[in-house]
Amino acid sequence: AAERRARRGHQEEGGGTRRKKKMSTWWDERVGKPLEGWHKVEEERAREGHLRAIARAGNQPGCGCCGGQAGGNKQGWGSAKTPTQPADPAIKAPYYKKRIELFEKYFERTKGQEEEAKGKDAIKIEITMPDGGKKEGEKDVTTPLDIAKSISKKLGQNALVAKVNGEVWDVFRPLEGDCSIQIFTFDSPEGKETYWHSSAHLLGQALELEYGVDLTIGPAIEEGFYYDCFMGDKTLHEEDRDRILNRINKIIGEKQEFQRAVVSRDEALEMFQENPFKVEVIEGLPQNAVISLYRNGPFCDLCHGPHVPNSSSIKAFTVNQMSRAFWRADVKNAPLMRVYGVSFPDKKLLKKYELRIAEAKKRDHRVLGLNHDLFFFNGVSPGSCFFQPYGTRIYNTLLSFVKEKYWDYGYEEVTSPNIFHSDLWQTSGHSAHYKQNMFMFDVEENEWGLKPMNCPGHCVMYAHRKHSFRELPIRLAEFGVLHRNEYSGALHGLTRVRRFVQDDAHIFCRRDQIAGEVSAYLEMFREIYGALGLDYDLALSTRPEGFLGDPADWDIAEKALENVLDAWEAKTGKGYTLNPEDGAFYGPKIDITVYDALGRKFQCATVQLDFQLPIRFKLSYVNAENKEEIPVIVHRAIMGSFERMMAILTEHFAGKWPFWLSPKQIMVVPISGSANEYAEEVRCTFRAAKFHVESDLRDMTMQKKVRDAQLSQFNYILVVGEKEKEQKTVNVRTRANKVLGEKKAEELIALLEEERQTKALESLLSPKN
């Protein structure tokens, strides 16, 4: 029981269902530009993962292996303009050797400082466990690993990382005083991140020793890790995979210990002077920055840590793919190779992962979209999808579904322009903070921009006339076409596009209406996602550092959202996690993560409170005292981007759409040419009932046509011949080849209408088919 409590510490500290999440950094999609991964799963995880900050001023260690912002110019280069030596391990060997020699000097100094801090007399410290229990330790001697071993042998073997007073901590690093402690294994998010971060160091070492690369960053991502490296004009290929894995297996077998040392900015520059990417990172740090380094074997890197005790903790390792990238995600910068990997403490877990990834490849929406004639992309308009008739049917069905819900929940649809003068973007703040992501152009000596989102236009619409408190809430919804200037290297099927449509809506309300509006939003969200068969998780993100506005307003808003989520949990049994300091700078928000059939997670829906945009646009309403008051804006989306949702659903259903969403609902197959006329009559009857129906009049066998219809994922195949023609019936079978027998057309239409109206996820005529 004690072991379970220690391992669940991250949950218990937050009250059972809530845990703290790291803040996003510049490398995520809100500020920087993540690069294209090897397929949708990895690319999405790289984009959605929260990567640790590269450095912190003052006495906090920095990190140059896992990515983040160093400060200074994010574009362009530091003082070292080009790599000083070619990618060749023999040529780089002296540099690697010198780097280790310097590390050993700094490591001994760090150890000496720790020994000196211990003093001659042992100092007892009190260590508080997540369940409130106390343990005794010795200052600068006792480690989290010692505590884990004292709880159980198994926890001692599996402990990967700790949190000491809420700060991540190596399990082999001595405790420095009285503290609270949590211990994590691979089963926890903290354990996985540490495990994969350490695995990235093994990958980095292999790339250096085998190819003599210049490493840039190597973060843990949502599932696995990657390392970017510069190789000049060289490129890694599929045949390099075994070479990399062989080297990594040697590193694992050597049981290389992870060692930590602390250096100054100048010492770090001396150590990494031959790597221009590390030099640029270090030069972006404050002069007084204290930087931590980690070494394992002949490898050393700038790193915030923490790490596993030694390389033998990594039991099963694979390299997923190698792809192209660019330094700092800018195509104008140095071309890089990105190597993806994943590792596990058990070979069975790796096997399970590989099976899931193989299934994900089969479901890749880019492949299914082409094979099923849903959509395609063309170089004449990169990042903008061409939806074919079948794909447009799905698209329109989803859009109509949301419109129905808008009607039920009292939203008003509006239409706003696609192009706005730069004055609007200056008022909204986009010119200062988002311009690099916008398509801007000049017309008649004035700057204009395609809208990347609908909220500024909706503010203009609200401000068009005065409003009374009795009119609020005002719910404006728009399915406007949006454009965002994504880098070409970041474009990825329907999940990362330049042209898209959102089910974007903005609610202008009073502060006392926030809870009611958010509760109604959650109800609408549940109805829509329930019909799509998607599970979800909720998270409350609170005020970040540098938030804008009155703290009292934040208190009210955060409490309102917390009350809504508590009530939601009581009503539905669906709990939520707490993401401290992860809200937007303009207001707190509820982030919603959805899961597809493979358990992959995506963020599409969100609801955010905004105190700042109403101020920027000078919005107001007249309150009950006849005084002007500033409204709150609730930004909310359910589908998010329809393009992205199309990608998720295509893979979720693996192209086998439920009847109500299906673009290919019914195929009529005549047994012979003599039944073609009746087949057309049947087709017209079902088309009149608004079903997507086709007839196959090709000169082929009935069996071949039925099989083709099943492979094309028509939900129902209606076979007709002379017998059916005489009796005015159809012989029904499913795409799973379940024969359902003869039915009158009117009877079948009624059944299929029920299946469509109820938005059933399974066939009502033949469940599980």
Side-chain angles (χ1 to χ4, degrees):
E3 178 185 350
R4 288 196 300 272
R5 286 194 297 271
R7 292 170 63 181
R8 294 200 310 264
H10 66 288
Q11 294 179 333
E12 295 181 4
E13 183 183 49
T17 60
R18 308 173 194 175
R19 63 177 176 84
K20 183 174 180 179
K21 186 177 75 172
K22 304 175 297 302
M23 290 184 65
S24 300
T25 64
W26 72 275
W27 208 255
D28 74 14
E29 78 170 314
R30 284 177 288 181
V31 186
K33 289 289 176 125
L35 310 179
E36 182 179 7
W38 67 282
H39 55 65
K40 178 177 184 295
V41 177
E42 293 295 347
E43 197 273 345
E44 289 302 318
R45 287 168 181 151
R47 180 162 62 246
E48 293 168 357
H50 293 279
L51 310 182
R52 285 180 296 228
I54 196 166
R56 299 168 186 165
N59 294 322
Q60 293 299 316
C63 178
C65 70
C66 63
Q69 184 172 5
N73 185 8
K74 291 194 291 184
Q75 306 289 332
W77 294 81
S79 63
K81 299 299 182 184
T82 57
T84 57
Q85 295 178 338
D88 186 319
I91 295 175
K92 293 288 181 64
Y95 161 56
Y96 298 155
K97 181 180 178 182
K98 176 186 175 184
R99 194 176 61 186
I100 291 299
E101 290 172 350
L102 288 172
F103 177 88
E104 289 176 343
K105 180 175 74 171
Y106 302 138
F107 179 67
E108 289 302 318
R109 181 182 66 190
T110 302
K111 282 184 63 178
Q113 292 169 347
E114 292 173 352
E115 291 295 327
E116 183 179 345
K118 291 180 184 178
K120 295 181 180 179
D121 300 323
I123 300 176
K124 299 298 182 183
I125 59 174
E126 184 177 76
I127 302 162
T128 304
M129 305 302 294
D131 63 356
K134 308 290 184 181
K135 286 186 176 291
E136 188 178 87
E138 186 175 333
K139 182 178 182 291
D140 296 314
V141 174
T142 303
T143 67
L145 191 57
D146 294 329
I147 300 299
K149 290 176 179 177
S150 73
I151 294 174
S152 76
K153 180 179 178 180
K154 184 177 180 182
L155 184 59
Q157 292 172 338
N158 296 333
L160 296 176
V161 66
K163 276 189 177 179
V164 177
N165 295 330
E167 179 185 348
V168 288
W169 201 272
D170 297 297
V171 292
F172 51 83
R173 182 178 169 189
L175 302 172
E176 298 173 354
D178 293 343
C179 60
S180 62
I181 189 172
Q182 299 164 265
I183 298 169
F184 302 97
T185 67
F186 188 79
D187 294 333
S188 68
E190 292 83 354
K192 286 184 174 67
E193 181 174 2
T194 299
Y195 197 85
W196 288 330
H197 184 193
S198 299
S199 299
H201 278 235
L202 273 59
L203 175 59
Q205 181 182 154
L207 292 171
E208 282 193 344
L209 296 182
E210 292 295 328
Y211 303 99
V213 304
D214 289 289
L215 296 172
T216 63
I217 66 165
I221 54 177
E222 192 66 32
E223 189 167 39
F225 49 89
Y226 66 79
Y227 228 121
D228 283 348
C229 61
F230 179 79
M231 301 182 69
D233 57 0
K234 297 180 181 178
T235 303
L236 293 173
H237 300 283
E238 185 65 23
E239 52 267 28
D240 291 296
R241 185 197 303 268
D242 289 342
R243 182 176 172 184
I244 296 171
L245 286 175
N246 288 337
R247 172 64 73 169
I248 289 172
N249 287 331
K250 289 179 182 178
I251 296 170
I252 292 172
E254 290 170 3
K255 299 183 179 180
Q256 298 175 359
E257 289 187 2
F258 279 89
Q259 298 175 328
R260 180 179 179 272
V262 176
V263 298
S264 68
R265 182 179 181 273
D266 289 340
E267 289 169 339
L269 281 171
E270 178 188 11
M271 205 167 175
F272 293 93
Q273 60 183 303
E274 294 188 43
N275 185 323
F277 308 100
K278 301 295 183 183
V279 168
E280 182 178 334
V281 167
I282 298 166
E283 286 182 338
L285 303 179
Q287 284 289 342
N288 65 339
V290 178
I291 301 168
S292 62
L293 310 171
Y294 278 82
R295 172 207 178 170
N296 58 294
F299 178 75
C300 175
D301 204 355
L302 302 164
C303 186
H304 181 275
H307 283 286
V308 300
N310 65 69
S311 61
S312 68
S313 300
I314 313 302
K315 304 297 184 183
F317 193 114
T318 191
V319 171
N320 290 333
Q321 183 73 357
M322 287 78 75
S323 63
R324 279 291 185 181
F326 293 93
W327 174 233
R328 296 200 187 278
D330 189 339
V331 294
K332 298 176 183 178
N333 283 341
L336 306 175
M337 284 302 303
R338 172 168 293 182
V339 183
Y340 281 96
V342 70
S343 58
F344 295 94
D346 188 314
K347 290 183 179 180
K348 292 181 180 178
L349 292 175
L350 176 59
K351 184 65 175 177
K352 184 177 179 181
Y353 166 84
E354 290 174 336
L355 291 173
R356 181 160 50 83
I357 294 303
E359 178 62 25
K361 286 184 177 181
K362 296 177 185 177
R363 293 170 178 249
D364 191 324
H365 73 278
R366 295 167 299 176
V367 176
L368 294 176
L370 289 174
N371 292 345
H372 292 223
D373 295 323
L374 301 178
F375 47 80
F376 65 89
F377 290 86
N378 190 289
V380 299
S381 185
S384 300
C385 184
F386 290 81
F387 282 97
Q388 299 189 82
Y390 288 138
T392 302
R393 290 175 182 178
I394 302 170
Y395 196 99
N396 287 341
T397 301
L398 290 172
L399 192 144
S400 296
F401 184 28
V402 176
K403 285 190 174 188
E404 290 174 11
K405 293 302 176 184
Y406 278 170
W407 179 268
D408 293 341
Y409 282 86
Y411 286 76
E412 294 290 346
E413 280 192 59
V414 296
T415 303
S416 63
N418 284 339
I419 301 171
F420 290 97
H421 192 275
S422 60
D423 287 350
L424 179 85
W425 305 121
Q426 290 171 8
T427 300
S428 68
H430 286 82
S431 288
H433 301 290
Y434 203 76
K435 192 171 182 178
Q436 73 275 15
N437 300 106
M438 296 174 60
F439 287 100
M440 306 295 294
F441 51 91
D442 291 336
V443 176
E444 297 179 349
E445 300 182 357
N446 283 279
E447 188 177 41
W448 302 76
L450 284 169
K451 64 179 179 182
M453 50 197 69
N454 290 312
C455 37
H458 290 183
C459 287
V460 173
M461 299 185 83
Y462 179 91
H464 181 62
R465 66 175 181 83
K466 288 187 176 183
H467 299 278
S468 164
F469 71 97
R470 294 186 178 87
E471 296 178 64
L472 273 54
I474 295 174
R475 309 180 187 98
L476 302 183
E478 180 171 5
F479 300 95
V481 175
L482 307 178
H483 288 84
R484 295 182 185 174
N485 189 11
E486 304 285 359
Y487 285 116
S488 59
L491 299 176
H492 189 85
L494 288 173
T495 64
R496 193 75 171 220
V497 293
R498 288 174 174 164
R499 185 268 188 202
F500 60 98
V501 173
Q502 284 185 328
D503 62 333
D504 207 7
H506 298 90
I507 303 169
F508 300 83
C509 66
R510 307 188 306 264
R511 281 163 173 72
D512 64 308
Q513 295 173 323
I514 290 174
E517 291 304 306
V518 175
S519 295
Y521 163 83
L522 290 176
E523 289 287 357
M524 191 195 317
F525 162 82
R526 184 173 63 158
E527 291 174 12
I528 292 176
Y529 275 60
L532 297 173
L534 297 172
D535 195 11
Y536 67 95
D537 283 331
L538 302 171
L540 172 59
S541 298
T542 59
R543 75 194 74 180
E545 294 180 13
F547 70 90
L548 298 180
D550 187 343
D553 287 336
W554 280 83
D555 291 338
I556 293 171
E558 289 175 354
K559 187 61 178 177
L561 294 185
E562 187 175 345
N563 289 341
V564 167
L565 290 172
D566 286 340
W568 188 255
E569 182 174 2
K571 177 180 180 179
T572 67
K574 177 68 73 173
Y576 65 98
T577 58
L578 184 65
N579 294 341
E581 302 181 355
D582 202 40
F585 69 91
Y586 49 77
K589 60 179 180 173
I590 298 174
D591 287 322
I592 303 175
T593 301
V594 299
Y595 298 87
D596 70 2
L598 295 181
R600 298 171 299 180
K601 61 183 182 180
F602 308 90
Q603 187 172 334
C604 302
T606 186
V607 56
Q608 304 179 2
L609 304 187
D610 190 344
F611 307 117
Q612 298 307 309
L613 212 56
I615 295 173
R616 298 183 75 101
F617 279 91
K618 299 179 181 179
L619 306 183
S620 65
Y621 65 91
V622 179
N623 64 21
E625 286 74 40
N626 204 32
K627 295 179 180 179
E628 288 195 347
E629 193 167 334
I630 300 173
V632 176
I633 294 179
V634 181
H635 301 260
R636 42 109 297 156
I638 292 181
M639 295 288 185
S641 157
F642 277 91
E643 282 74 5
R644 180 176 167 87
M645 181 57 71
M646 277 281 291
I648 293 170
L649 292 177
T650 299
E651 298 187 1
H652 177 64
F653 294 119
K656 298 180 180 180
W657 299 91
F659 185 76
W660 73 275
L661 262 180
S662 179
K664 303 175 183 179
Q665 294 174 327
I666 302 167
M667 174 62 82
V668 185
V669 174
I671 293 176
S672 65
S674 62
N676 283 357
E677 184 178 341
Y678 180 61
E680 275 294 281
E681 179 184 330
V682 170
R683 184 188 69 80
C684 291
T685 299
F686 280 84
R687 179 173 172 79
K690 307 298 182 183
F691 292 110
H692 299 309
V693 57
E694 300 175 32
S695 57
D696 189 345
L697 306 182
R698 295 176 298 168
D699 186 16
M700 303 175 70
T701 66
M702 179 269 289
Q703 291 80 2
K704 170 63 175 171
K705 289 190 281 188
V706 167
R707 183 57 180 158
D708 285 350
Q710 291 170 340
L711 292 175
S712 295
Q713 301 304 329
F714 280 86
N715 298 73
Y716 296 103
I717 297 96
L718 310 185
V719 178
V720 296
E722 291 301 321
K723 176 184 175 184
E724 287 78 16
K725 180 179 179 180
E726 291 176 6
Q727 299 181 359
K728 296 297 181 183
T729 61
V730 293
N731 202 303
V732 186
R733 65 181 69 196
T734 70
R735 61 187 168 200
N737 205 32
K738 181 69 176 294
V739 178
L740 304 177
E742 286 188 64
K743 293 185 183 298
K744 292 284 188 180
E746 297 77 9
E747 176 191 1
L748 183 57
I749 286 173
L751 291 170
L752 295 183
E753 179 62 27
E754 180 185 359
E755 186 169 338
R756 180 169 60 183
Q757 289 298 324
T758 59
K759 295 179 172 57
L761 292 172
E762 296 181 357
S763 167
L764 295 184
L765 280 68
S766 178
K768 301 300 182 183
N769 286 317

